[in-house]
Amino acid sequence: MSVRIEHAPRTVLETLQLERLQELLARLRRVPRGEGLPQIESLADLEKLPFTVKDDLRATYPLGMLAVPRDQLRRIHASSGTGGTPTVVAYTEHDLDVWSKVMARCLAMAGLKAGMVVHNAYGYGLFTGGLGFHQGAERLGALVVPVSGGVTARQATLLRDLEAQVLCCTPSYALHIAQGLREAGIEPDQLKLEVGIFGAEPWTEGMRERLESELGLTALNVYGLSEIVGPGVSAECPEGRDGLHVQEDHFLVEVIDPDSGERVEDGTDGELVFTTLTKEALPLLRYRTGDIASMTRERCVCGRTFARMSAIRGRRDDMLIIRGVNLYPSQIEHVLLAQPGVAPHYQLVVERPETLDEVTVWCEPVEAGTNPIALATTIQQAIRERIGVTVTVHVKAPGEIPRSEGKAVRVIDRRVPT
């Protein structure tokens, strides 16, 4: 069923979803946190269920929301905790098997086959990226190079010498690897790369063009979050590259208005909400991700019937309000990468000198010797014309913007909390 369900009629998929949702609720009612959950007769009744938020996980740190005995756990992952108490997620053997299946499905959709060489530069450890891609690729019979992040010169050498066909990492780190290749004198045509599977941070079509140009591959988007499973919640197909297919037989997806909590129509941006249909250790009902995207349920050109989510526009808590204009960092990226001569490395510095927030854009030229004042003026005008907000632009020398080995730090918030 794991292959056929991707192309099944929506009625078949929704029948399976309802059965799994009812089984999930029956399991949850047997643990304290599931007491009083309502009966669900149809998927339309999903709105009767309460939302879950990250603070619920933090409030029960470390494992207070488990739905199985601790002796059934086989692995722990966790967030970095940079925003406070880390969120800890646990997996049973069944959960790890499901994770491997959905990750393998995403990789197969991208074109990964048995025997291919996968260069996995996602971080290993408590972060779910490295092990998620690793176990999915091995399940398909691929040869995995578990290089993780760091030592970019070694990344370049291994890509060439081991003839990797698939590159897996964050898009910002892929650009750092591309720079390492240039510094090592390795041209894209000396590599065997065919596809790159990039995620863990929002990225734009402009970034896709840069990645494909600099690395000579097809760049595909993948999405996940540790609270739901890790990477493998959704991914793009190369045929369409028009939204990420959500693995709906395991993850029930909604899009809601971030303020009211009401569902929005397909095609409308809102906050992604997921219910884990098959997770044992830490099943979550209507988990509010904070990620902003839209949804379509139209059949894809590839023939799959799973719902497709747009690329992430940004996070709800990343949205800035600059002089009355809502602004996401990805909007700045879109404008920057559309400008000739601008490198795909940038940061936004947010400050509140008086009563209003102000943004300064730090970016780099592609080539040394570029007139920084002229380029800054061009970028500032483009941002004002396309987004409707006035920002300050500082063009730094090539290489001055910090490079990331994992998730890029795009926003530096210098506002003092009131």
Side-chain angles (χ1 to χ4, degrees):
M1 175 172 287
S2 61
V3 175
R4 294 193 301 270
I5 196 65
E6 295 180 80
H7 299 82
R10 294 288 309 175
T11 52
V12 173
L13 175 60
E14 289 168 3
T15 296
L16 176 63
Q17 288 177 322
L18 179 58
E19 291 174 356
R20 289 182 167 178
L21 178 60
Q22 290 170 332
E23 292 170 0
L24 168 63
L25 292 173
R27 286 191 287 112
L28 282 176
R29 291 189 189 102
R30 294 195 289 268
V31 300
R33 73 181 179 96
E35 293 177 359
L37 287 173
Q39 296 295 326
I40 298 296
E41 303 299 333
S42 70
L43 292 179
D45 291 337
L46 187 64
E47 292 179 282
K48 295 180 181 180
L49 299 175
F51 288 116
T52 309
V53 296
K54 182 167 286 191
D55 281 347
D56 294 326
L57 294 169
R58 289 173 173 154
T60 57
Y61 174 87
L63 295 170
M65 292 182 66
L66 283 182
V68 299
R70 287 184 63 142
D71 62 5
Q72 292 186 23
L73 302 183
R74 297 295 178 269
R75 192 188 299 172
I76 294 289
H77 283 282
S79 68
S80 62
T82 53
T85 303
T87 54
V88 175
V89 291
Y91 300 76
T92 65
E93 185 173 344
H94 166 82
D95 294 335
L96 293 173
D97 183 60
V98 168
W99 188 11
S100 294
K101 284 180 179 177
V102 296
M103 195 63 241
R105 187 190 283 171
C106 290
L107 294 171
M109 181 164 53
L112 183 63
K113 298 180 177 62
M116 293 182 76
V117 180
V118 178
H119 185 99
N120 187 9
Y122 280 105
Y124 282 68
L126 289 176
F127 174 61
T128 54
L131 287 169
F133 276 84
H134 188 120
Q135 62 202 24
E138 284 191 342
R139 193 178 190 111
L140 287 175
L143 169 60
V144 181
V145 183
V147 66
S148 194
V151 195
T152 307
R154 181 180 62 184
Q155 304 268 359
T157 302
L158 290 175
L159 279 170
R160 180 193 62 195
D161 295 350
L162 296 179
E163 301 184 337
Q165 295 145 295
V166 182
L167 172 62
C168 304
C169 60
T170 64
S172 56
Y173 191 50
L175 290 173
H176 196 25
I177 290 174
Q179 180 179 332
L181 289 166
R182 289 193 299 273
E183 292 172 352
I186 301 173
E187 298 295 330
D189 59 8
Q190 294 178 259
L191 304 176
K192 300 294 185 181
L193 284 175
E194 299 176 18
V195 62
I197 307 174
F198 306 121
E201 60 190 23
W203 54 290
T204 62
E205 287 300 311
M207 181 70 82
R208 190 199 302 271
E209 292 173 6
R210 293 292 179 96
L211 290 165
E212 293 185 339
S213 172
E214 296 195 23
L215 291 167
L217 46 67
T218 297
L220 298 175
N221 204 344
V222 65
Y223 173 79
L225 61 167
S226 59
E227 297 92 332
I228 300 304
V229 73
V233 174
S234 65
E236 283 184 312
C237 65
E239 298 92 337
R241 297 206 294 182
D242 183 24
L244 290 76
H245 296 267
V246 178
Q247 307 304 307
E248 285 193 279
D249 50 336
H250 296 283
F251 315 113
L252 190 57
V253 61
E254 306 169 78
V255 181
I256 64 168
D257 181 290
D259 297 319
S260 70
E262 299 294 322
R263 287 190 193 177
V264 301
E265 295 182 357
D266 284 0
T268 302
D269 280 356
E271 183 179 358
L272 288 171
V273 174
F274 288 99
T275 296
T276 60
L277 295 174
T278 56
K279 201 169 184 181
E280 288 184 339
L282 191 66
L284 295 178
L285 298 176
R286 306 191 76 195
Y287 182 75
R288 295 186 61 157
T289 66
D291 292 324
I292 303 298
S294 62
M295 193 68 57
T296 179
R297 289 171 174 79
E298 295 180 357
R299 182 186 290 268
C300 181
V301 295
C302 72
R304 292 177 177 85
T305 55
F306 282 169
R308 282 171 288 141
M309 52 177 273
S310 69
I312 300 298
R313 318 291 190 200
R315 287 192 53 79
R316 183 186 180 191
D317 51 8
D318 284 345
M319 187 183 77
L320 307 171
I321 301 177
I322 307 301
R323 302 184 183 277
V325 178
N326 293 348
L327 176 67
Y328 286 107
S330 60
Q331 292 174 278
I332 296 289
E333 178 180 297
H334 180 78
V335 176
L336 286 175
L337 298 189
Q339 306 307 307
V342 178
H345 306 289
Y346 69 95
Q347 286 185 321
L348 310 183
V349 180
V350 187
E351 299 172 290
R352 186 179 296 152
E354 295 181 0
T355 58
L356 296 175
D357 292 345
E358 296 183 1
V359 171
T360 300
V361 178
W362 293 349
C363 58
E364 295 179 5
V366 172
E367 297 180 357
T370 301
N371 185 326
I373 297 176
L375 186 57
T377 300
T378 298
I379 294 169
Q380 186 179 48
Q381 290 175 345
I383 291 173
R384 185 169 57 247
E385 290 172 1
R386 298 191 185 187
I387 304 176
V389 65
T390 298
V391 301
T392 301
V393 178
H394 287 167
V395 176
K396 296 180 172 291
E400 275 197 56
I401 303 296
R403 297 334 191 223
S404 171
E405 296 176 2
K407 295 184 181 183
V409 178
R410 296 300 193 195
V411 178
I412 301 172
D413 193 341
R414 293 179 176 170
R415 293 172 292 183
V416 178
T418 57

